[in-house]
Amino acid sequence: MDKRSFCVKLSTKFWECFSRYISQFFREYELALGMQHEAEIEKNVWDPLNIFNASDDYAYAVVVLNRPIRLKPSLMLQLWEKARVTVTVDGGTQRWLNYLNEEGIDIWNANDRKYIPNLITGDMDSSSPYIIHKLKSIGSKIIVTPDQMYTDYTKALVQLDIYTKAEGIKLDGIFVIVECSGRFDHVLGNVNTLYKAEHMIRNVQIIQIAADSLTWLLKPGFHRIMVPDELLQGNNWCGLLPIGAPAKHISTTGLKWNLDNASMQFGGLVSTSNTYDKCPEVTVNTDVSLIWTMGIELLMNTVNNVGNSSTHDCQN
């Protein structure tokens, strides 16, 4: 074989190998993209029944803020007991102790130690130093967060993220116990924390739980919200709010008054006092972050008998 023929053969062999390598690379790349897309879709599925009847493989934290706790004991105690991490925030610590006391639970008794918070955070301006010290002595980790540029709620999420990483805990959700009542600036401050949370705890669903409602942030993109049958049958309320910035392109299905590539902003259209169209799933496709809020009074009335989502057919 002459030198020219050898070089041509070698070059041909090289390009055959290179072509196979490139083909394999792109097959693996497309597979990875597909898995990532499926993960993104799964991440944007919201199921309120995780609160009332979470499966054992759904890992969540409970965070108690400094507001009255009005959840039924059958729900509140179950949420706490099944949580992977429990946190009380500043004055929320005393709120939690008072709640337990009303239920005849003595946290200082060895038999009730499961109700001790794993983590207590805040600037501690609403907490008893004696109580905090005593809780520390029986197992709570105390993190004082004096920075006044952030709310105690915001700082608690930062500390929760640090704690879970140190303990090797991967959370699916965070349930924040907070009533949507009292000072309006505090209510909006809590909403602001939902917007900030994306930069503090990634890929974890954060849901604010009140006695009559659930509230969370929908980031830009496509979301599926599962609607329990109790809420469909009772025509319970729900709402979409463009807090912070106008939304130019929003489309929904599953609502009585749907949006079709619509725009929303304060001073214009906002979707309040909406309800469902008997479909067990609401979808929201949005170009900006939105607040989703939904009434759960009917779920609370059947808290020990909450079933699955509705089996009604959708007409979208």
Side-chain angles (χ1 to χ4, degrees):
M1 180 184 297
D2 60 27
K3 186 176 181 180
R4 178 180 177 81
S5 297
F6 175 77
C7 289
V8 169
K9 187 175 181 179
L10 184 63
S11 177
T12 301
K13 188 70 173 177
F14 168 79
W15 285 111
E16 287 176 353
C17 291
F18 183 73
S19 178
R20 286 197 296 270
Y21 171 80
I22 291 296
S23 297
Q24 180 66 21
F25 172 81
F26 277 106
R27 280 196 297 270
E28 293 179 357
Y29 179 71
E30 289 173 357
L31 179 61
L33 281 181
M35 294 175 64
Q36 181 179 357
H37 180 65
E38 291 177 3
E40 285 292 318
I41 292 175
E42 186 65 26
K43 183 181 68 176
N44 290 338
V45 175
W46 302 81
D47 189 352
L49 291 185
N50 283 329
I51 297 169
F52 295 88
N53 190 23
S55 63
D56 291 337
D57 59 356
Y58 185 84
Y60 66 87
V62 166
V63 178
V64 177
L65 300 188
N66 187 14
R67 295 295 304 145
I69 303 172
R70 293 181 176 148
L71 299 187
K72 289 184 176 181
S74 54
L75 174 61
M76 184 66 226
L77 298 180
Q78 172 185 281
L79 280 174
W80 185 278
E81 291 169 11
K82 296 181 69 174
R84 293 292 303 278
V85 186
T86 54
V87 185
T88 56
V89 182
D90 203 347
T93 305
Q94 191 61 55
R95 301 268 191 185
W96 176 236
L97 296 181
N98 292 344
Y99 185 87
L100 293 174
N101 186 59
E102 290 173 2
E103 297 307 313
I105 297 173
D106 181 7
I107 202 171
W108 313 115
N109 187 308
N111 294 327
D112 291 328
R113 292 292 170 85
K114 61 186 174 182
Y115 298 112
I116 298 171
N118 298 125
L119 190 62
I120 300 174
T121 72
D123 57 17
M124 306 304 173
D125 63 349
S126 303
S127 302
S128 160
Y130 172 76
I131 293 296
I132 297 300
H133 177 76
K134 195 171 180 182
L135 286 169
K136 181 179 180 180
S137 71
I138 57 175
S140 292
K141 182 174 183 179
I142 313 299
I143 304 292
V144 180
T145 55
D147 191 343
Q148 296 301 304
M149 294 301 292
Y150 302 93
T151 66
D152 282 338
Y153 177 13
T154 300
K155 292 179 288 186
L157 293 184
V158 172
Q159 295 303 321
L160 175 59
D161 185 48
I162 294 171
Y163 181 90
T164 53
K165 287 177 179 176
E167 297 293 325
I169 299 171
K170 188 179 187 313
L171 295 176
D172 298 300
I174 299 173
F175 299 151
V176 182
I177 312 303
V178 56
E179 290 299 317
C180 297
S181 60
R183 286 175 49 177
F184 186 61
D185 60 333
H186 284 175
V187 173
L188 289 184
N190 293 339
V191 170
N192 189 45
T193 294
L194 291 178
Y195 278 80
K196 288 183 174 184
E198 176 184 1
H199 308 292
M200 296 180 289
I201 300 185
R202 297 185 179 277
N203 302 322
V204 178
Q205 295 183 342
I206 302 176
I207 300 177
Q208 295 183 176
I209 305 176
D212 60 357
S213 65
L214 304 177
T215 302
W216 65 80
L217 184 78
L218 300 178
K219 299 173 186 176
F222 182 80
H223 298 262
R224 296 169 56 209
I225 301 166
M226 314 313 292
V227 184
D229 188 60
E230 291 86 351
L231 303 186
L232 295 181
Q233 297 302 315
N235 294 315
N236 236 177
W237 62 268
C238 60
L240 274 171
L241 302 172
I243 296 177
K248 299 297 184 183
H249 303 284
I250 304 174
S251 295
T252 67
T253 65
L255 298 176
K256 183 175 183 179
W257 294 285
N258 279 310
L259 300 167
D260 183 10
N261 199 30
S263 61
M264 289 199 306
Q265 67 179 45
F266 280 91
L269 173 69
V270 295
S271 181
T272 60
S273 301
N274 212 327
T275 189
Y276 311 104
D277 69 354
K278 304 304 180 185
C279 178
E281 178 180 300
V282 170
T283 69
V284 180
N285 198 1
T286 175
D287 62 330
V288 300
S289 293
L290 298 173
I291 290 294
W292 167 266
T293 186
M294 63 191 299
I296 56 169
E297 298 96 328
L298 296 177
L299 282 180
M300 289 299 186
N301 291 339
T302 57
V303 69
N304 294 319
N305 301 293
V306 175
N308 296 317
S309 296
S310 172
T311 56
H312 291 287
D313 292 330
C314 300
Q315 301 294 327
N316 295 324

